[in-house]
Amino acid sequence: MAAIVIKDFVKRYDTIEAVKGINLSVEKGGLFGLIGPDGAGKTTLMRAVCTLLLPDKGSIHVNGFDTKKDFAQIRSIIGYMPQRFSLYQDLTVAQNLKFFADLFQVPLDEQEIRLAELYQFSRLEPFKNRLAGKLSGGMKQKLALSCALIHTPEILVLDEPTFGVDPVSRDEFWKILHTIREKGTTILVSTAYMDEANLCDRVALFFDGKIQITDKPDNLRAQYKYPLFQIKVKELNPMIDLFNSVKEVHTIQKFGDALHISFYEIPDEGRWENWKNEAEDNLLSREQIEPSIEDIFLEMMESMDE
């Protein structure tokens, strides 16, 4: 059964159509990821799910409730963590949690139990008397998540929760999300970090106000039909120029100090030797690799531009 059902959702800001006819279903108890760059429309869609924006066209239902008329019921069963840290920075960790517990009318006899649970998984108890504004980025995100969970929501909506957070804190945060999901909470999360797609049950690749494709991460990778090589080089631009002139090449993408090059078919050893000679020792190594979600996303965007 679906926890969130979005049909033909359109949202405009003046003459700009930010979201262009989205259809999406999020199953109960799943961890669903909206994957896409900044400005794709992810935040608009998530705010609409949380009843903070009304559709200009189409509908959104959350656990059967319509966001246009049942906003009170939806807000009682949903936890929302916006992209920017929105807690009270001049209150302590404990005071923030207490404030949100009272705001969501968590009964006093349950508050102590909930706080103990949240302190345990967030590991914030040693810092409960520290001002929120004095916390590290990762700790702020854990506190914001704890406040969103204080009333035990059935559905959790997280807008780029790991943006600007260090890799270790990102890893810890996702472990917490999986623990929450295992307890039955439905999670809708957006991210611009393509590698985080692998941590979701299902993902939607989101670009230019539209969902381009939706599937399990493994299924998306299996659909990539071109042999893909990682090329290590001394200088990137000369190698890009060289491979741009090769008819067997399908796409070329920069990945840090390497190139990911897809081919229409696997080049034979003779072709590699020719390219190495042409490159005059600029080509250091090559390795055939499995495509990442980022490879798939970039391939999709390039095909849209053609």
Side-chain angles (χ1 to χ4, degrees):
M1 182 177 177
I4 302 171
V5 178
I6 302 169
K7 293 185 177 179
D8 301 321
F9 172 69
V10 173
K11 187 63 186 178
R12 301 181 185 90
Y13 297 104
D14 296 324
T15 60
I16 298 173
E17 197 169 58
V19 181
K20 306 172 182 179
I22 291 294
N23 288 281
L24 183 66
S25 178
V26 177
E27 295 301 308
K28 281 192 174 181
L31 201 171
F32 193 101
L34 290 176
I35 314 298
D38 292 341
K42 304 187 302 297
T43 294
T44 293
L45 179 59
M46 300 187 90
R47 293 186 70 195
V49 169
C50 296
T51 74
L52 300 176
L53 293 173
L54 290 177
D56 290 321
K57 181 182 177 184
S59 65
I60 300 176
H61 286 82
V62 179
N63 274 7
F65 296 115
D66 189 335
T67 59
K68 292 180 180 177
K69 57 184 180 181
D70 303 320
F71 60 88
Q73 293 94 323
I74 292 172
R75 291 179 185 180
S76 70
I77 62 171
I78 208 165
Y80 174 52
M81 181 176 163
Q83 183 178 11
R84 296 187 182 278
F85 186 69
S86 58
L87 303 178
Y88 294 96
Q89 307 218 27
D90 56 347
L91 297 181
T92 65
V93 168
Q95 288 169 336
N96 268 287
L97 288 168
K98 174 63 175 172
F99 173 81
F100 280 91
D102 292 340
L103 181 67
F104 285 108
Q105 300 180 331
V106 179
L108 290 177
D109 58 344
E110 292 182 18
Q111 286 190 19
E112 187 173 344
I113 297 172
R114 289 298 296 142
L115 288 173
E117 291 174 344
L118 293 169
Y119 279 139
Q120 182 177 9
F121 84 70
S122 68
R123 292 187 284 181
L124 285 174
E125 188 164 17
F127 310 97
K128 65 181 181 181
N129 294 320
R130 182 176 295 183
L131 294 178
K134 299 295 185 180
L135 297 174
S136 68
M139 292 167 68
K140 284 181 178 181
Q141 296 301 78
K142 289 178 184 177
L143 175 56
L145 177 61
S146 297
C147 290
L149 290 169
I150 193 69
H151 61 304
T152 319
E154 298 175 34
I155 298 170
L156 187 60
V157 179
L158 310 172
D159 190 4
E160 299 202 18
T162 58
F163 178 78
V165 175
D166 66 89
V168 173
S169 296
R170 281 176 60 195
D171 183 62
E172 290 179 350
F173 193 92
W174 276 93
K175 287 178 180 176
I176 290 171
L177 294 189
H178 282 105
T179 300
I180 296 168
R181 188 271 312 273
E182 288 168 6
K183 293 182 178 180
T185 301
T186 303
I187 302 175
L188 175 64
V189 57
S190 72
T191 179
Y193 296 121
M194 300 292 167
D195 59 313
E196 293 186 343
N198 299 311
L199 304 172
C200 301
D201 301 324
R202 295 178 69 239
V203 297
L205 300 187
F206 205 100
F207 180 65
D208 192 29
K210 299 177 183 178
I211 290 176
Q212 306 298 333
I213 189 169
T214 302
D215 211 331
K216 296 179 180 179
D218 285 346
N219 291 343
L220 290 176
R221 285 190 291 270
Q223 293 174 27
Y224 194 88
K225 60 184 179 179
Y226 300 99
L228 183 67
F229 285 79
Q230 178 174 273
I231 312 296
K232 295 287 184 68
V233 300
K234 292 180 181 177
E235 296 183 52
L236 290 174
N237 290 334
M239 292 305 297
I240 291 173
D241 292 338
L242 190 156
F243 280 105
N244 269 329
S245 64
V246 174
K247 64 180 181 180
E248 297 101 317
V249 168
H250 177 247
T251 59
I252 305 170
Q253 305 292 347
K254 291 182 181 180
F255 275 71
D257 60 353
L259 297 175
H260 284 197
I261 302 180
S262 65
F263 295 85
Y264 291 104
E265 57 183 33
I266 297 177
D268 60 33
E269 194 63 32
R271 291 296 283 154
W272 284 113
E273 285 300 319
N274 289 339
W275 295 329
K276 188 173 183 178
N277 291 333
E278 288 182 53
E280 298 179 349
D281 296 325
N282 192 20
L283 199 162
L284 300 177
S285 66
R286 71 178 192 274
E287 177 188 8
Q288 188 168 0
I289 59 173
E290 294 296 319
S292 65
I293 295 297
E294 187 168 359
D295 287 306
I296 294 163
F297 193 90
L298 292 172
E299 154 78 18
M300 179 190 72
M301 291 177 63
E302 190 157 311
S303 64
M304 290 173 59
D305 291 336
E306 293 177 353

